[in-house]
Amino acid sequence: KAGVTQTPRYLIKTRGQQVTLSCSPISGHRSVSWYQQTPGQGLQFLFEYFSETQRNKGNFPGRFSGRQFSNSRSEMNVSTLELGDSALYLCASSFRGGSGDTQYFGPGTRLTVL
Amino acid sequence: DAKTTQPTSMDCAEGRAANLPCNHSTISGNEYVYWYRQIHSQGPQYIIHGLKNNETNEMASLIITEDRKSSTLILPHATLRDTAVYYCIGRNYGQNFVFGPGTRLSVLP
């Protein structure tokens, strides 16, 4: 099976712009989670989608949003970019998202905000 | 989710077994223990997980104490490519993964 794919892999934006990142889960997986990783804060959970519904949300401002499509592909959007949004954004998929359900991570999108 | 504590860093000689400990004294009965690793700037890689019994796969072994308050990840024959940050995570149903700072394992030639 193909793994989790994320596009684009690298992105450079300027403050105030918005950005959309895309994630394609492993075939058959219906749960998609997003994480932000920075040197200072480590890996932090953003949100999880299951069957096109947001099921879980981390402690991030409303500028961070996401959605999931009927084919389980997911996008996340960050509006009004700030310098502090520079990070590695990781997407992970799992079959249903239950406690014994393994999450598999994609390679990430490296976002740089200038 | 159970809070986990791990050593900040560890060294291991190439070819030797690497034993990475994790304390999860507040784990509940239905929380799984997961191990991931992350090689610089790549996405975390799943290694192994378990609930009560010891587990083994092609990558590693997971030893969980009988009281489930701690576990040890064992890489039987560490190679230079095993140099990474290793994360131990306790996860309950419907909860997201909470990553701590992990253990930075350096495999030395």
Side-chain angles (χ1 to χ4, degrees):
Chain A
K1 274 186 181 178
V4 178
T5 58
Q6 292 187 244
T7 56
R9 292 294 311 279
Y10 301 92
L11 206 48
I12 299 175
K13 292 285 188 180
T14 56
R15 279 182 299 173
Q17 288 187 309
Q18 74 164 13
V19 67
T20 299
L21 312 181
S22 181
C23 171
S24 292
I26 292 171
S27 177
H29 284 190
R30 295 166 62 194
S31 168
V32 173
S33 296
W34 288 90
Y35 295 82
Q36 180 197 65
Q37 185 172 31
T38 60
Q41 298 297 320
L43 259 160
Q44 293 186 289
F45 171 76
L46 279 157
F47 28 66
E48 181 207 2
Y49 285 86
F50 178 76
S51 293
E52 302 177 66
T53 300
Q54 188 180 87
R55 186 161 67 175
N56 219 343
K57 188 177 189 305
N59 189 25
F60 278 81
R63 300 186 297 108
F64 292 81
S65 63
R67 59 177 175 169
Q68 186 180 34
F69 302 95
S70 58
N71 61 358
S72 295
R73 191 176 68 84
S74 177
E75 289 180 347
M76 68 162 282
N77 184 278
V78 187
S79 62
T80 320
L81 284 166
E82 301 176 359
L83 295 179
D85 297 333
S86 293
L88 180 67
Y89 288 89
L90 292 157
C91 164
S93 77
S94 63
F95 183 59
R96 286 182 55 85
S99 61
D101 198 18
T102 300
Q103 283 192 352
Y104 295 92
F105 284 80
T109 294
R110 172 75 60 185
L111 172 65
T112 302
V113 181
L114 302 176
Chain B
D1 291 334
K3 179 176 168 54
T4 61
T5 54
Q6 301 176 251
T8 303
S9 63
M10 293 180 64
D11 291 340
C12 176
E14 189 178 17
R16 298 282 189 158
N19 297 287
L20 290 89
C22 177
N23 181 289
H24 34 79
S25 57
T26 60
I27 199 169
S28 64
N30 52 356
E31 278 189 78
Y32 282 79
V33 178
Y34 278 82
W35 283 84
Y36 284 80
R37 72 181 183 184
Q38 188 174 27
I39 296 169
H40 182 64
S41 293
Q42 297 181 20
Q45 178 189 23
Y46 166 76
I47 301 173
I48 198 167
H49 74 286
L51 184 61
K52 295 179 183 177
N53 301 319
N54 298 337
E55 302 287 345
T56 295
N57 63 19
E58 65 278 4
M59 288 183 68
S61 294
L62 174 61
I63 309 298
I64 302 174
T65 57
E66 194 169 337
D67 61 10
R68 300 207 335 117
K69 293 187 176 181
S70 65
S71 61
T72 300
L73 177 74
I74 301 172
L75 307 178
H77 305 287
T79 71
L80 298 179
R81 288 177 297 179
D82 293 322
T83 293
V85 177
Y86 287 76
Y87 299 99
C88 167
I89 305 158
R91 184 171 186 237
N92 208 338
Y93 179 81
Q95 300 299 314
N96 50 279
F97 282 98
V98 179
F99 286 81
T103 295
R104 184 171 297 278
L105 175 69
S106 298
V107 180
L108 307 174

